mmCIF file of all heavy atoms in Angstrom:
data_model
loop_
_atom_site.group_PDB
_atom_site.id
_atom_site.type_symbol
_atom_site.label_atom_id
_atom_site.label_comp_id
_atom_site.label_asym_id
_atom_site.label_seq_id
_atom_site.Cartn_x
_atom_site.Cartn_y
_atom_site.Cartn_z
ATOM 1 N N ASP W 60 10.820 -43.258 -1.076
ATOM 2 C CA ASP W 60 11.603 -44.451 -1.386
ATOM 3 C C ASP W 60 11.048 -45.163 -2.612
ATOM 4 O O ASP W 60 11.738 -45.882 -3.311
ATOM 5 C CB ASP W 60 11.556 -45.467 -0.228
ATOM 6 C CG ASP W 60 12.275 -44.945 1.015
ATOM 7 O OD1 ASP W 60 12.600 -43.748 1.038
ATOM 8 O OD2 ASP W 60 12.521 -45.761 1.934
ATOM 9 N N LEU W 61 9.704 -44.985 -2.815
ATOM 10 C CA LEU W 61 9.050 -45.700 -3.886
ATOM 11 C C LEU W 61 9.366 -45.091 -5.244
ATOM 12 O O LEU W 61 9.031 -45.642 -6.284
ATOM 13 C CB LEU W 61 7.533 -45.699 -3.651
ATOM 14 C CG LEU W 61 7.082 -46.196 -2.256
ATOM 15 C CD1 LEU W 61 5.586 -46.030 -2.081
ATOM 16 C CD2 LEU W 61 7.481 -47.656 -2.062
ATOM 17 N N ILE W 62 10.003 -43.887 -5.238
ATOM 18 C CA ILE W 62 10.340 -43.237 -6.512
ATOM 19 C C ILE W 62 11.808 -43.485 -6.802
ATOM 20 O O ILE W 62 12.670 -43.299 -5.938
ATOM 21 C CB ILE W 62 10.079 -41.706 -6.426
ATOM 22 C CG1 ILE W 62 8.602 -41.452 -6.053
ATOM 23 C CG2 ILE W 62 10.444 -41.021 -7.713
ATOM 24 C CD1 ILE W 62 8.309 -40.014 -5.637
ATOM 25 N N ASP W 63 12.089 -43.911 -8.039
ATOM 26 C CA ASP W 63 13.465 -44.243 -8.427
ATOM 27 C C ASP W 63 14.360 -43.010 -8.459
ATOM 28 O O ASP W 63 13.917 -41.926 -8.802
ATOM 29 C CB ASP W 63 13.482 -44.857 -9.837
ATOM 30 C CG ASP W 63 13.143 -46.348 -9.744
ATOM 31 O OD1 ASP W 63 13.199 -46.896 -8.632
ATOM 32 O OD2 ASP W 63 12.842 -46.938 -10.808
ATOM 33 N N GLY W 64 15.626 -43.202 -8.107
ATOM 34 C CA GLY W 64 16.622 -42.156 -8.292
ATOM 35 C C GLY W 64 16.548 -41.029 -7.279
ATOM 36 O O GLY W 64 17.108 -39.966 -7.503
ATOM 37 N N THR W 65 15.857 -41.252 -6.153
ATOM 38 C CA THR W 65 15.784 -40.175 -5.163
ATOM 39 C C THR W 65 16.895 -40.366 -4.122
ATOM 40 O O THR W 65 17.384 -41.473 -3.907
ATOM 41 C CB THR W 65 14.419 -40.152 -4.442
ATOM 42 O OG1 THR W 65 14.220 -41.421 -3.792
ATOM 43 C CG2 THR W 65 13.295 -39.907 -5.413
ATOM 44 N N ARG W 66 17.277 -39.241 -3.493
ATOM 45 C CA ARG W 66 18.369 -39.291 -2.530
ATOM 46 C C ARG W 66 18.070 -38.301 -1.398
ATOM 47 O O ARG W 66 17.619 -37.190 -1.624
ATOM 48 C CB ARG W 66 19.660 -38.895 -3.232
ATOM 49 C CG ARG W 66 20.932 -38.950 -2.377
ATOM 50 C CD ARG W 66 22.148 -39.071 -3.289
ATOM 51 N NE ARG W 66 22.220 -37.930 -4.237
ATOM 52 C CZ ARG W 66 22.820 -36.772 -3.946
ATOM 53 N NH1 ARG W 66 23.393 -36.577 -2.783
ATOM 54 N NH2 ARG W 66 22.851 -35.807 -4.836
ATOM 55 N N VAL W 67 18.320 -38.770 -0.153
ATOM 56 C CA VAL W 67 18.110 -37.925 1.015
ATOM 57 C C VAL W 67 19.457 -37.656 1.680
ATOM 58 O O VAL W 67 20.268 -38.564 1.822
ATOM 59 C CB VAL W 67 17.229 -38.640 2.087
ATOM 60 C CG1 VAL W 67 16.807 -37.652 3.178
ATOM 61 C CG2 VAL W 67 16.054 -39.311 1.456
ATOM 62 N N GLU W 68 19.673 -36.420 2.098
ATOM 63 C CA GLU W 68 20.836 -36.092 2.945
ATOM 64 C C GLU W 68 20.326 -35.468 4.239
ATOM 65 O O GLU W 68 19.232 -34.907 4.267
ATOM 66 C CB GLU W 68 21.746 -35.083 2.228
ATOM 67 C CG GLU W 68 22.473 -35.635 1.046
ATOM 68 C CD GLU W 68 23.232 -34.552 0.283
ATOM 69 O OE1 GLU W 68 23.179 -33.363 0.704
ATOM 70 O OE2 GLU W 68 23.824 -34.899 -0.721
ATOM 71 N N GLY W 69 21.125 -35.547 5.268
ATOM 72 C CA GLY W 69 20.721 -34.987 6.558
ATOM 73 C C GLY W 69 20.013 -36.059 7.374
ATOM 74 O O GLY W 69 19.988 -37.222 7.009
ATOM 75 N N GLU W 70 19.393 -35.610 8.468
ATOM 76 C CA GLU W 70 18.753 -36.589 9.362
ATOM 77 C C GLU W 70 17.293 -36.269 9.544
ATOM 78 O O GLU W 70 16.917 -35.114 9.674
ATOM 79 C CB GLU W 70 19.419 -36.494 10.748
ATOM 80 C CG GLU W 70 20.769 -37.150 10.847
ATOM 81 C CD GLU W 70 21.307 -37.008 12.273
ATOM 82 O OE1 GLU W 70 20.708 -37.626 13.191
ATOM 83 O OE2 GLU W 70 22.279 -36.267 12.452
ATOM 84 N N ILE W 71 16.475 -37.316 9.541
ATOM 85 C CA ILE W 71 15.062 -37.189 9.882
ATOM 86 C C ILE W 71 14.784 -38.106 11.036
ATOM 87 O O ILE W 71 14.745 -39.320 10.882
ATOM 88 C CB ILE W 71 14.181 -37.522 8.673
ATOM 89 C CG1 ILE W 71 14.489 -36.560 7.525
ATOM 90 C CG2 ILE W 71 12.697 -37.431 9.061
ATOM 91 C CD1 ILE W 71 13.723 -36.850 6.254
ATOM 92 N N LEU W 72 14.689 -37.511 12.241
ATOM 93 C CA LEU W 72 14.502 -38.311 13.434
ATOM 94 C C LEU W 72 13.032 -38.383 13.799
ATOM 95 O O LEU W 72 12.351 -37.357 13.866
ATOM 96 C CB LEU W 72 15.268 -37.695 14.610
ATOM 97 C CG LEU W 72 16.759 -37.431 14.378
ATOM 98 C CD1 LEU W 72 17.392 -36.813 15.620
ATOM 99 C CD2 LEU W 72 17.494 -38.719 13.979
ATOM 100 N N PHE W 73 12.532 -39.597 13.959
ATOM 101 C CA PHE W 73 11.174 -39.814 14.434
ATOM 102 C C PHE W 73 11.296 -40.419 15.822
ATOM 103 O O PHE W 73 11.909 -41.488 15.977
ATOM 104 C CB PHE W 73 10.430 -40.742 13.473
ATOM 105 C CG PHE W 73 9.054 -41.147 13.965
ATOM 106 C CD1 PHE W 73 8.068 -40.174 14.172
ATOM 107 C CD2 PHE W 73 8.740 -42.471 14.205
ATOM 108 C CE1 PHE W 73 6.822 -40.533 14.597
ATOM 109 C CE2 PHE W 73 7.472 -42.838 14.640
ATOM 110 C CZ PHE W 73 6.498 -41.875 14.849
ATOM 111 N N GLU W 74 10.791 -39.732 16.814
ATOM 112 C CA GLU W 74 10.978 -40.121 18.203
ATOM 113 C C GLU W 74 12.453 -40.414 18.496
ATOM 114 O O GLU W 74 12.795 -41.400 19.141
ATOM 115 C CB GLU W 74 10.100 -41.322 18.556
ATOM 116 C CG GLU W 74 8.628 -40.961 18.459
ATOM 117 C CD GLU W 74 7.677 -42.109 18.781
ATOM 118 O OE1 GLU W 74 8.127 -43.269 18.638
ATOM 119 O OE2 GLU W 74 6.549 -41.842 19.171
ATOM 120 N N GLY W 75 13.286 -39.582 17.941
ATOM 121 C CA GLY W 75 14.710 -39.666 18.223
ATOM 122 C C GLY W 75 15.509 -40.634 17.356
ATOM 123 O O GLY W 75 16.720 -40.716 17.470
ATOM 124 N N ARG W 76 14.822 -41.389 16.491
ATOM 125 C CA ARG W 76 15.547 -42.386 15.662
ATOM 126 C C ARG W 76 15.481 -41.987 14.196
ATOM 127 O O ARG W 76 14.426 -41.614 13.700
ATOM 128 C CB ARG W 76 14.943 -43.790 15.832
ATOM 129 C CG ARG W 76 15.054 -44.278 17.257
ATOM 130 C CD ARG W 76 14.095 -45.431 17.428
ATOM 131 N NE ARG W 76 14.494 -46.545 16.567
ATOM 132 C CZ ARG W 76 14.708 -47.773 17.033
ATOM 133 N NH1 ARG W 76 14.549 -48.050 18.313
ATOM 134 N NH2 ARG W 76 15.058 -48.737 16.209
ATOM 135 N N ASN W 77 16.595 -42.118 13.527
ATOM 136 C CA ASN W 77 16.649 -41.753 12.109
ATOM 137 C C ASN W 77 15.839 -42.764 11.298
ATOM 138 O O ASN W 77 16.197 -43.940 11.243
ATOM 139 C CB ASN W 77 18.094 -41.707 11.633
ATOM 140 C CG ASN W 77 18.204 -41.082 10.266
ATOM 141 O OD1 ASN W 77 17.238 -41.080 9.493
ATOM 142 N ND2 ASN W 77 19.359 -40.527 9.967
ATOM 143 N N ILE W 78 14.753 -42.294 10.662
ATOM 144 C CA ILE W 78 13.909 -43.241 9.954
ATOM 145 C C ILE W 78 14.580 -43.778 8.694
ATOM 146 O O ILE W 78 14.121 -44.770 8.132
ATOM 147 C CB ILE W 78 12.523 -42.654 9.586
ATOM 148 C CG1 ILE W 78 12.662 -41.425 8.701
ATOM 149 C CG2 ILE W 78 11.693 -42.364 10.817
ATOM 150 C CD1 ILE W 78 11.326 -40.972 8.100
ATOM 151 N N TYR W 79 15.661 -43.144 8.263
ATOM 152 C CA TYR W 79 16.353 -43.647 7.079
ATOM 153 C C TYR W 79 17.478 -44.625 7.408
ATOM 154 O O TYR W 79 18.223 -45.040 6.523
ATOM 155 C CB TYR W 79 16.820 -42.458 6.196
ATOM 156 C CG TYR W 79 15.653 -41.898 5.430
ATOM 157 C CD1 TYR W 79 14.812 -40.959 6.009
ATOM 158 C CD2 TYR W 79 15.349 -42.333 4.135
ATOM 159 C CE1 TYR W 79 13.700 -40.458 5.331
ATOM 160 C CE2 TYR W 79 14.253 -41.844 3.447
ATOM 161 C CZ TYR W 79 13.431 -40.916 4.059
ATOM 162 O OH TYR W 79 12.326 -40.440 3.357
ATOM 163 N N ASN W 80 17.638 -44.957 8.673
ATOM 164 C CA ASN W 80 18.601 -46.014 9.031
ATOM 165 C C ASN W 80 18.210 -47.312 8.335
ATOM 166 O O ASN W 80 17.036 -47.658 8.230
ATOM 167 C CB ASN W 80 18.607 -46.256 10.545
ATOM 168 C CG ASN W 80 19.492 -45.255 11.262
ATOM 169 O OD1 ASN W 80 20.185 -44.445 10.624
ATOM 170 N ND2 ASN W 80 19.459 -45.277 12.584
ATOM 171 N N ALA W 81 19.211 -48.022 7.895
ATOM 172 C CA ALA W 81 18.965 -49.219 7.107
ATOM 173 C C ALA W 81 18.164 -50.281 7.879
ATOM 174 O O ALA W 81 17.412 -51.052 7.298
ATOM 175 C CB ALA W 81 20.281 -49.821 6.646
ATOM 176 N N ASP W 82 18.302 -50.276 9.214
ATOM 177 C CA ASP W 82 17.602 -51.325 9.966
ATOM 178 C C ASP W 82 16.144 -51.000 10.249
ATOM 179 O O ASP W 82 15.434 -51.778 10.911
ATOM 180 C CB ASP W 82 18.345 -51.602 11.296
ATOM 181 C CG ASP W 82 18.455 -50.353 12.181
ATOM 182 O OD1 ASP W 82 18.195 -49.239 11.662
ATOM 183 O OD2 ASP W 82 18.765 -50.504 13.357
ATOM 184 N N ASN W 83 15.660 -49.836 9.766
ATOM 185 C CA ASN W 83 14.251 -49.525 9.949
ATOM 186 C C ASN W 83 13.412 -50.141 8.842
ATOM 187 O O ASN W 83 13.799 -50.088 7.674
ATOM 188 C CB ASN W 83 14.037 -48.013 9.956
ATOM 189 C CG ASN W 83 14.343 -47.425 11.311
ATOM 190 O OD1 ASN W 83 14.084 -48.032 12.334
ATOM 191 N ND2 ASN W 83 14.911 -46.225 11.301
ATOM 192 N N ASP W 84 12.269 -50.672 9.207
ATOM 193 C CA ASP W 84 11.368 -51.282 8.217
ATOM 194 C C ASP W 84 10.410 -50.210 7.699
ATOM 195 O O ASP W 84 9.587 -49.690 8.451
ATOM 196 C CB ASP W 84 10.595 -52.417 8.916
ATOM 197 C CG ASP W 84 9.555 -53.013 8.006
ATOM 198 O OD1 ASP W 84 9.542 -52.660 6.796
ATOM 199 O OD2 ASP W 84 8.734 -53.811 8.508
ATOM 200 N N PRO W 85 10.519 -49.841 6.406
ATOM 201 C CA PRO W 85 9.641 -48.805 5.843
ATOM 202 C C PRO W 85 8.166 -49.129 6.033
ATOM 203 O O PRO W 85 7.343 -48.218 6.224
ATOM 204 C CB PRO W 85 9.991 -48.750 4.374
ATOM 205 C CG PRO W 85 11.206 -49.552 4.193
ATOM 206 C CD PRO W 85 11.420 -50.410 5.388
ATOM 207 N N VAL W 86 7.804 -50.396 6.016
ATOM 208 C CA VAL W 86 6.396 -50.754 6.162
ATOM 209 C C VAL W 86 5.902 -50.399 7.559
ATOM 210 O O VAL W 86 4.836 -49.829 7.728
ATOM 211 C CB VAL W 86 6.171 -52.252 5.858
ATOM 212 C CG1 VAL W 86 4.719 -52.629 6.119
ATOM 213 C CG2 VAL W 86 6.546 -52.542 4.411
ATOM 214 N N GLU W 87 6.737 -50.696 8.547
ATOM 215 C CA GLU W 87 6.385 -50.352 9.930
ATOM 216 C C GLU W 87 6.305 -48.821 10.096
ATOM 217 O O GLU W 87 5.422 -48.301 10.763
ATOM 218 C CB GLU W 87 7.414 -50.970 10.882
ATOM 219 C CG GLU W 87 7.255 -50.595 12.355
ATOM 220 C CD GLU W 87 5.911 -50.993 12.992
ATOM 221 O OE1 GLU W 87 5.151 -51.733 12.358
ATOM 222 O OE2 GLU W 87 5.644 -50.523 14.140
ATOM 223 N N ILE W 88 7.255 -48.125 9.454
ATOM 224 C CA ILE W 88 7.219 -46.661 9.509
ATOM 225 C C ILE W 88 5.938 -46.126 8.923
ATOM 226 O O ILE W 88 5.285 -45.252 9.499
ATOM 227 C CB ILE W 88 8.457 -46.086 8.798
ATOM 228 C CG1 ILE W 88 9.683 -46.311 9.688
ATOM 229 C CG2 ILE W 88 8.276 -44.601 8.482
ATOM 230 C CD1 ILE W 88 10.982 -46.006 9.026
ATOM 231 N N ARG W 89 5.535 -46.670 7.785
ATOM 232 C CA ARG W 89 4.300 -46.178 7.144
ATOM 233 C C ARG W 89 3.057 -46.539 7.929
ATOM 234 O O ARG W 89 2.022 -45.903 7.799
ATOM 235 C CB ARG W 89 4.208 -46.688 5.702
ATOM 236 C CG ARG W 89 5.110 -45.892 4.783
ATOM 237 C CD ARG W 89 5.161 -46.419 3.370
ATOM 238 N NE ARG W 89 6.493 -46.220 2.836
ATOM 239 C CZ ARG W 89 7.170 -47.117 2.148
ATOM 240 N NH1 ARG W 89 6.645 -48.304 1.869
ATOM 241 N NH2 ARG W 89 8.388 -46.831 1.727
ATOM 242 N N ARG W 90 3.157 -47.609 8.734
ATOM 243 C CA ARG W 90 2.028 -47.934 9.602
ATOM 244 C C ARG W 90 1.884 -46.866 10.703
ATOM 245 O O ARG W 90 0.814 -46.381 11.004
ATOM 246 C CB ARG W 90 2.188 -49.296 10.252
ATOM 247 C CG ARG W 90 0.929 -49.717 11.036
ATOM 248 C CD ARG W 90 1.159 -50.884 11.977
ATOM 249 N NE ARG W 90 2.044 -50.547 13.101
ATOM 250 C CZ ARG W 90 1.697 -49.787 14.130
ATOM 251 N NH1 ARG W 90 0.487 -49.233 14.191
ATOM 252 N NH2 ARG W 90 2.554 -49.543 15.096
ATOM 253 N N ARG W 91 3.030 -46.500 11.263
ATOM 254 C CA ARG W 91 2.992 -45.528 12.385
ATOM 255 C C ARG W 91 2.768 -44.110 11.905
ATOM 256 O O ARG W 91 2.367 -43.235 12.672
ATOM 257 C CB ARG W 91 4.293 -45.622 13.196
ATOM 258 C CG ARG W 91 4.452 -46.991 13.841
ATOM 259 C CD ARG W 91 5.494 -46.957 14.913
ATOM 260 N NE ARG W 91 5.163 -45.991 15.945
ATOM 261 C CZ ARG W 91 6.042 -45.586 16.869
ATOM 262 N NH1 ARG W 91 7.276 -46.035 16.860
ATOM 263 N NH2 ARG W 91 5.664 -44.723 17.778
ATOM 264 N N ILE W 92 3.133 -43.860 10.635
ATOM 265 C CA ILE W 92 2.988 -42.520 10.077
ATOM 266 C C ILE W 92 2.094 -42.620 8.844
ATOM 267 O O ILE W 92 2.553 -42.927 7.749
ATOM 268 C CB ILE W 92 4.374 -41.951 9.726
ATOM 269 C CG1 ILE W 92 5.301 -42.018 10.959
ATOM 270 C CG2 ILE W 92 4.239 -40.508 9.231
ATOM 271 C CD1 ILE W 92 6.758 -41.764 10.652
ATOM 272 N N GLY W 93 0.812 -42.427 9.057
ATOM 273 C CA GLY W 93 -0.169 -42.632 7.996
ATOM 274 C C GLY W 93 -0.285 -41.416 7.077
ATOM 275 O O GLY W 93 0.174 -40.339 7.407
ATOM 276 N N MET W 94 -0.881 -41.664 5.900
ATOM 277 C CA MET W 94 -0.965 -40.588 4.945
ATOM 278 C C MET W 94 -2.349 -40.510 4.303
ATOM 279 O O MET W 94 -2.947 -41.525 3.967
ATOM 280 C CB MET W 94 0.094 -40.766 3.863
ATOM 281 C CG MET W 94 0.260 -39.584 2.960
ATOM 282 S SD MET W 94 1.986 -39.414 2.497
ATOM 283 C CE MET W 94 1.922 -37.907 1.538
ATOM 284 N N VAL W 95 -2.847 -39.280 4.124
ATOM 285 C CA VAL W 95 -4.116 -39.057 3.421
ATOM 286 C C VAL W 95 -3.803 -38.138 2.251
ATOM 287 O O VAL W 95 -3.127 -37.114 2.410
ATOM 288 C CB VAL W 95 -5.142 -38.399 4.354
ATOM 289 C CG1 VAL W 95 -6.420 -38.068 3.616
ATOM 290 C CG2 VAL W 95 -5.428 -39.282 5.565
ATOM 291 N N PHE W 96 -4.287 -38.517 1.076
ATOM 292 C CA PHE W 96 -3.887 -37.822 -0.118
ATOM 293 C C PHE W 96 -4.926 -36.797 -0.559
ATOM 294 O O PHE W 96 -6.033 -36.744 -0.034
ATOM 295 C CB PHE W 96 -3.630 -38.804 -1.246
ATOM 296 C CG PHE W 96 -2.505 -39.752 -0.921
ATOM 297 C CD1 PHE W 96 -2.752 -40.918 -0.214
ATOM 298 C CD2 PHE W 96 -1.192 -39.461 -1.288
ATOM 299 C CE1 PHE W 96 -1.717 -41.793 0.117
ATOM 300 C CE2 PHE W 96 -0.158 -40.333 -0.963
ATOM 301 C CZ PHE W 96 -0.419 -41.489 -0.257
ATOM 302 N N GLN W 97 -4.503 -35.990 -1.550
ATOM 303 C CA GLN W 97 -5.356 -34.919 -2.056
ATOM 304 C C GLN W 97 -6.681 -35.441 -2.607
ATOM 305 O O GLN W 97 -7.737 -34.964 -2.244
ATOM 306 C CB GLN W 97 -4.571 -34.184 -3.153
ATOM 307 C CG GLN W 97 -5.384 -33.146 -3.904
ATOM 308 C CD GLN W 97 -4.500 -32.355 -4.857
ATOM 309 O OE1 GLN W 97 -3.317 -32.663 -5.014
ATOM 310 N NE2 GLN W 97 -5.076 -31.341 -5.469
ATOM 311 N N LYS W 98 -6.594 -36.416 -3.489
ATOM 312 C CA LYS W 98 -7.825 -36.998 -4.048
ATOM 313 C C LYS W 98 -8.146 -38.218 -3.206
ATOM 314 O O LYS W 98 -7.288 -39.061 -2.954
ATOM 315 C CB LYS W 98 -7.600 -37.438 -5.488
ATOM 316 C CG LYS W 98 -7.570 -36.309 -6.477
ATOM 317 C CD LYS W 98 -8.186 -36.756 -7.826
ATOM 318 C CE LYS W 98 -7.726 -35.887 -8.955
ATOM 319 N NZ LYS W 98 -6.475 -36.420 -9.607
ATOM 320 N N PRO W 99 -9.418 -38.344 -2.790
ATOM 321 C CA PRO W 99 -9.787 -39.554 -2.056
ATOM 322 C C PRO W 99 -9.466 -40.783 -2.932
ATOM 323 O O PRO W 99 -9.774 -40.773 -4.123
ATOM 324 C CB PRO W 99 -11.301 -39.415 -1.877
ATOM 325 C CG PRO W 99 -11.646 -38.004 -2.210
ATOM 326 C CD PRO W 99 -10.553 -37.461 -3.048
ATOM 327 N N ASN W 100 -8.772 -41.742 -2.351
ATOM 328 C CA ASN W 100 -8.399 -42.912 -3.155
ATOM 329 C C ASN W 100 -8.791 -44.224 -2.476
ATOM 330 O O ASN W 100 -7.930 -45.031 -2.124
ATOM 331 C CB ASN W 100 -6.880 -42.897 -3.424
ATOM 332 C CG ASN W 100 -6.072 -42.828 -2.129
ATOM 333 O OD1 ASN W 100 -6.650 -42.624 -1.048
ATOM 334 N ND2 ASN W 100 -4.774 -43.015 -2.215
#
Side-chain angles (χ1 to χ4, degrees):
Chain W
D60 292 13
L61 308 174
I62 303 167
D63 277 346
T65 59
R66 183 159 58 88
V67 190
E68 290 173 0
E70 285 180 66
I71 300 177
L72 306 180
F73 174 62
E74 295 180 337
R76 298 163 64 125
N77 191 335
I78 59 168
Y79 283 84
N80 277 354
D82 59 346
N83 278 325
D84 174 9
V86 176
E87 174 61 10
I88 286 170
R89 282 175 215 137
R90 186 195 68 73
R91 297 195 59 193
I92 306 167
M94 190 145 184
V95 176
F96 298 86
Q97 173 173 6
K98 284 214 202 91
N100 56 351

